[in-house]
Amino acid sequence: MAEKIRIKDIAKQAGVSVGTVDRVLHKRPNVSKSALERVEKALKEMDYQPNMYASALAHNKSYTFYCLIPKHASEAYWEEIEMGAMKAVEQRRDFSIDIVIMYYSRLNPQSFIDTYRKCLEKNPDGVVLVPTTLDLTRQFTDELHERNIPFILLDSYMPSLQPLAFFGQDSIQSGHFAARMLMLLARNERSIMLMKQTKDGKMASRQQENREVGFRNYMAKHFPEVDIFDVNLPLDEERKRYDGILEKFFTTHPEVHHCITFNSKAHIVGEFLLKTKRHDIQIMGYDIVHKNADCLRAGSISFLIAQHAYQQGFFSIDTLFRAIVLKKKVEQTNYMPIDLLTKENIDFYLRSWDL
């Protein structure tokens, strides 16, 4: 382990006073040109690495990061992101960091506009953003760039927006993976069901759209003979109507034994299968929200693909902290692992949430 370099060691090497070194390190005035050059030369020769934590604490500045995420029900995927973000703030409590979480309706463009305008009024130090459409999100991020406010994208990667960083899965690869895992179970099947949730014909996120693209590309290449039946459970319908839609589908298609969805609502189908005692049908989905986990343990969900939502929330705040407070360089593209969960390993996975 390298020996810690003290200010008096630097002063001795440079032939100046300790006070002069302190002024140089903290970029204070009243340092002569020759003294500055001697200190900088000594710092380079000694390979001095400043203690950024101590420096940040010395400034005693407060920071507020804003998180803009979709409105959601309790126990949803987004709640995990919130928990992770709050955990990161808790771990950095010595640095006077706070977060404000703002919600918008993902299927209502005006809701997003109103929310980001309120965010801008607060002049945030950094932003964590779950984007909507590219054009609409760009309106917000262009303003953030103009104000020199760093932002991080979650869920959907839009590199043309030039975020400080992105955390999430490679959605296309995730779709490939989902297809491959599903067909390990359904290799001899001639048809599968794809459950969607849309409003006005549109999915809630670009991430889900890209997963479907990856899924269909894999299926077209490796299982072109398999029919894929789309079943839509509209987002603007009452939940009780879903049972009727599912009952009609499975009655009409008794040959279907395997289903998949690319959102976090596999439990809608899973609970229906348990309630109607259809033990020869299973669904595969995303995210370890509690209702999904219950269906996985009960056997109506075969697999869940996890994308570390808790860690995404944690790392997004931690990355803003490192970039803004500690002035450190951060990695821009951060793809999360694609984990496959079954009833045998989900409880071990849940224990790893708390960082």
Side-chain angles (χ1 to χ4, degrees), residues 84-85 88 152 154 167 308 310-322 336 355:
I152 288 176
L154 297 181
F167 289 92
H308 296 273
Y310 182 95
Q311 286 86 339
Q312 287 182 51
F314 181 94
F315 291 136
S316 62
I317 296 298
D318 188 64
T319 297
L320 287 176
F321 167 78
R322 288 186 289 113
M336 306 302 291
L355 297 172

Side-chain angles (χ1 to χ4, degrees), residues 127 129 131 134 137-154 156-167 206 319-320 323 330-334:
V127 172
L129 171 64
L134 178 60
T137 305
R138 192 185 300 278
Q139 295 178 24
F140 182 29
T141 58
D142 281 352
E143 184 72 23
L144 292 173
H145 281 301
E146 187 174 330
R147 299 189 187 193
N148 199 30
I149 299 173
F151 65 92
I152 288 176
L153 294 181
L154 297 181
S156 299
Y157 192 20
M158 300 177 179
S160 65
L161 300 181
Q162 298 181 299
L164 173 68
F166 163 76
F167 289 92
R206 186 172 179 179
T319 297
L320 287 176
V330 297
E331 191 72 30
Q332 184 180 50
T333 305
N334 303 274

